[in-house]
Amino acid sequence: MDDVVIGIDASTTAVKAIAFTRDGEELFQAREAYPLANPKPGHFEQDAEHWWTALLGALKQIAEAVGASRVAAISIAHQRETFTLIDHAGKPLIPAILWLDERARPQVIRLSSELGREAIRDWSGKPPDPTPALYAIAWLAEYQPQALDDAAALVDVHGFFVHRLTGRLVTSTASADPLGLLDVKDGTWHPELVAAAGLRPDQLPELVAPGAICGGLNESVARLTGLKAGTPVVAGAGDGQAMGLGMGVYGEGKSYLSLGSGVVSGCYSHGITTSDAFRTLVSPTGSGFMLETVLRSGMQLVDWVVRTTGSPSAAALEKAALDVAAGSEGLLVMPYWAGVMSPYWDGAARGAIVGLSLDHEPKHLFRAVLEGIAFEQAIASEAMETQAGGKPAAMIAAGGGTNSALLMRIMASVLERPLSVSPVNEAAALGAAVLAASAVGWFASPQTAAEAMTAPPTRHVDPVEGLVSGYRARKAIYRDLYQATRDIHVRLEALGKG
């Protein structure tokens, strides 16, 4: 029948495999979780074999639920920047090092000095930061050189899965790009970045464009999952880019906003542009680029407020905060509890709560946190969209934060634009499915596939006219907060090391 494609989202916590129809309807979802290890402070690791076991289990559930004969293709979205080393048989040689890992901060400093900070940014599209794998690979070259030398290949999650599924050492440019080893302009491995990491060129997978067919499902995997041997495995993308595609952002005129544990926003750029204000990524459609901003502390900061104040729930705090006037009675929050990526790229940065008095209550702090997240996003969006050619006509929001009516009202008012809420719950998996549907010829291109398979927004939130001018004035004050507190953070960090 060949009327179903499987979109895979291999996140930090689980593999989700979802069967989608030609119109983007979700037929069946399988989820298999795996553990996360934190063996030392700043070290975050996983066993890649756990990924594989989870993927096999999820695919087997799909085959049993919808029937192998219906599956036309499989495509993969996944946690970005995460990687492992494998031998010639595909066996992992080390625990996978995750995007969360911070062990390589000294290597960020060293490589920025040796190669030039702006050179790294302009080659790779990524301002120096521990998140891209480049620096963790350089850490391995210093502390586990034998493992790096013995490795047959370095693979991202996508490359690991494709090798196991098809026997080919292949990955997507939109999957490998976040590693920080690509020339983002050309979509090829950058020789100076590869050498700086301590890798040999022969240790890197073949690169193909997202939406290309990487190979067919091999016989052994077909037996383990119940799927058909030869089922096309289609090159996907990192979860961030795939999420944007699954939300219908695949060209100019739209941007996306994901309000999850962190806050991620992105927009399409026809031409190449790099800046400290955002990261530049290979587009999941293979055409143009995606610009992206990241705030590490999003809804997890809301959870922190609930825990710290001993409140019964976020819903209870939000209800109380409805009575608090805009501006939170003089409170201003800089939400850098987990450091800051764009635009300062300062992992040592810390959050700030300015203006506390004895009159403030948890409800004031709750609203101030939501306002701080919105101020940060507004400044990030302005910088990103200016480089991309102007303010998109539509911003589509998704994630758990969209369930907060107060946050959405504040965000729309601070951003000074209406927000549309995507009805798609699993946008990254749907983005992968869009690429699969295009690859097998259901649609002429990923763009037309996305148009057909992504559902239109079901809810719209408009700015509150009475809040816009006041928030605009407070945002101007907020812009100065990082520089005003930076020296204090630097001195406290130095004192802590002493």
Side-chain angles (χ1 to χ4, degrees):
M1 293 174 63
D2 291 351
D3 64 341
V4 169
V5 289
I6 297 176
I8 294 165
D9 178 12
S11 71
T12 311
T13 57
V15 164
K16 283 170 279 189
I18 305 177
F20 292 97
T21 63
R22 290 174 186 248
D23 61 0
E25 179 188 355
E26 183 179 316
L27 286 186
F28 183 80
Q29 178 181 149
R31 184 181 187 277
E32 296 280 345
Y34 34 70
L36 169 66
N38 181 205
K40 297 178 183 178
H43 290 225
F44 292 90
E45 300 174 346
Q46 283 175 330
D47 184 343
E49 294 292 357
H50 291 159
W51 303 340
W52 180 239
T53 301
L55 178 64
L56 291 177
L59 290 176
K60 185 176 182 180
Q61 288 184 56
I62 292 276
E64 292 172 350
V66 305
S69 64
R70 298 182 66 181
V71 178
I74 300 166
S75 188
I76 302 160
H78 56 93
Q79 55 171 311
R80 299 179 293 184
E81 294 98 14
T82 297
F83 72 95
T84 191
L85 303 175
I86 58 172
D87 63 17
H88 288 283
K91 180 181 177 181
L93 298 176
I94 61 167
I97 298 179
L98 268 64
W99 63 274
L100 287 165
D101 201 276
E102 296 189 343
R103 74 184 71 181
R105 290 197 179 278
Q107 285 70 34
V108 174
I109 296 169
R110 176 173 64 80
L111 292 184
S112 296
S113 174
E114 292 175 359
L115 299 178
R117 188 181 178 283
E118 290 188 358
I120 293 174
R121 183 197 68 195
D122 293 343
W123 290 337
S124 70
K126 322 292 179 292
D129 174 78
T131 309
L134 164 64
Y135 310 98
I137 302 166
W139 182 92
L140 286 172
E142 289 185 40
Y143 293 97
Q144 296 183 34
Q146 196 61 52
L148 196 62
D149 189 57
D150 290 346
L154 176 137
V155 286
D156 55 21
V157 179
H158 184 284
F160 181 78
F161 280 158
V162 170
H163 188 250
R164 287 282 178 97
L165 292 169
T166 72
R168 293 189 65 205
L169 188 59
V170 177
T171 195
S172 162
T173 53
S175 295
D177 170 43
L179 296 174
L181 297 171
L182 256 64
D183 182 328
V184 71
K185 181 180 179 181
D186 298 330
T188 57
W189 299 114
H190 194 289
E192 291 188 59
L193 293 172
V194 170
L199 289 165
R200 303 186 306 271
D202 64 280
Q203 293 176 304
L204 296 167
E206 177 188 349
L207 294 168
V208 297
I213 294 176
C214 297
L217 199 68
N218 64 39
E219 292 279 358
S220 62
V221 176
R223 287 193 298 270
L224 291 170
T225 61
L227 293 171
K228 294 179 299 181
T231 300
V233 177
V234 176
D239 52 10
Q241 302 110 297
M243 175 184 65
L245 184 60
M247 291 166 66
V249 178
Y250 47 80
E252 295 172 342
K254 293 181 181 178
S255 62
Y256 64 85
L257 176 64
S258 174
L259 297 168
S261 296
V263 177
V264 180
S265 70
C267 68
Y268 176 84
S269 175
H270 176 71
I272 181 74
T273 179
T274 60
S275 169
D276 281 355
F278 48 79
R279 304 197 303 174
T280 305
L281 297 154
V282 171
S283 167
T285 66
S287 173
F289 304 88
M290 297 300 295
L291 310 183
E292 181 184 88
T293 69
V294 181
L295 173 62
R296 287 180 179 271
S297 300
M299 295 307 99
Q300 66 175 345
L301 187 49
V302 172
D303 295 339
W304 177 88
V305 173
V306 174
R307 293 195 312 271
T308 303
T309 61
S311 300
S313 67
L317 267 181
E318 177 163 344
K319 184 177 180 181
L322 292 174
D323 296 332
V324 177
S328 306
E329 300 292 338
L331 275 187
L332 196 61
V333 168
M334 186 173 67
Y336 297 166
W337 266 239
V340 59
M341 291 177 67
S342 51
Y344 305 118
W345 306 98
D346 182 357
R350 292 294 176 263
I353 303 171
V354 177
L356 276 171
S357 76
L358 293 173
D359 294 326
H360 287 118
E361 301 174 27
K363 62 182 181 181
H364 296 94
L365 180 59
F366 183 84
R367 180 166 189 133
V369 162
L370 300 187
E371 291 173 341
I373 291 171
F375 291 142
E376 186 69 22
Q377 184 57 52
I379 292 168
S381 291
E382 288 168 12
M384 177 174 64
E385 292 166 1
T386 297
Q387 293 287 332
K391 192 173 182 177
M395 176 174 267
I396 304 170
T402 60
N403 296 319
S404 168
L406 180 58
L407 173 59
M408 292 298 288
R409 195 156 61 243
I410 290 171
M411 188 68 74
S413 301
V414 173
L415 289 170
E416 300 186 34
R417 73 180 79 185
L419 298 175
S420 300
V421 180
S422 171
V424 178
N425 292 321
E426 299 293 348
L430 179 56
V434 163
L435 293 172
S438 173
V440 295
W442 289 2
F443 303 97
S445 67
Q447 291 88 337
T448 54
E451 187 175 358
M453 296 177 72
T454 57
T458 54
R459 180 161 56 99
H460 303 275
V461 181
D462 292 318
V464 178
E465 187 175 344
L467 299 181
V468 170
S469 62
Y471 277 145
R472 192 182 299 154
R474 293 187 70 81
K475 183 177 66 177
I477 298 170
Y478 176 87
R479 284 182 188 274
D480 296 332
L481 197 53
Y482 171 75
Q483 294 299 338
T485 59
R486 182 178 180 277
D487 288 345
I488 294 172
H489 293 315
V490 169
R491 289 163 63 190
L492 284 173
E493 185 187 26
L495 189 63
K497 289 179 178 177

